[in-house]
Amino acid sequence: MHREPSWASFWRHQRGWKADVTLNDSVHASFTDAEALLPQLAGRVPDETLAAAVGTVDSRRAVAANRALVASFFDRFLKGRDDHLLDGGPSPHPIAFVR
């Protein structure tokens, strides 16, 4: 798992709830439109180029995990309902949490 050193100071100064969530086999652009768009270039550009841009996670799994995490966050902090997905326990999504 990649760790960006510049985040350390930022995280130390945060007061609210936070978690570093990583979608297994993803990279930074996996959470952008590139995840759905770039795989359409398969066969036209090297597989390594696509993997470097959006990782190797299946785009449907990436979108499903992202939706579940956002919904869980808003449910917990705005609606008072907690499905415990944000606690980092077992999940149907291939995600890893670091606190």
Side-chain angles (χ1 to χ4, degrees):
M1 179 183 311
H2 173 74
R3 290 279 208 214
E4 179 59 46
S6 64
W7 282 103
S9 176
F10 174 77
W11 275 62
R12 276 194 308 274
H13 293 91
Q14 298 306 302
R15 299 174 200 264
W17 182 91
K18 62 187 176 291
D20 186 357
V21 182
T22 300
L23 179 64
N24 299 346
D25 302 322
S26 70
V27 295
H28 187 75
S30 295
F31 292 94
T32 69
D33 293 342
E35 179 66 42
L37 299 174
L38 290 181
Q40 295 177 47
L41 297 175
R44 296 184 182 143
V45 298
D47 290 342
E48 300 81 30
T49 302
L50 290 176
V54 294
T56 57
V57 64
D58 178 77
S59 61
R60 292 171 299 234
R61 288 176 48 216
V63 170
N66 195 31
R67 286 180 177 167
L69 289 163
V70 170
S72 183
F73 180 87
F74 283 110
D75 283 350
R76 178 186 279 190
F77 294 105
L78 297 179
K79 296 180 179 178
R81 294 191 309 240
D82 192 357
D83 64 1
H84 300 285
L85 178 62
L86 301 177
D87 296 332
S91 168
H93 306 285
I95 52 181
F97 284 81
V98 177
R99 301 240 183 258

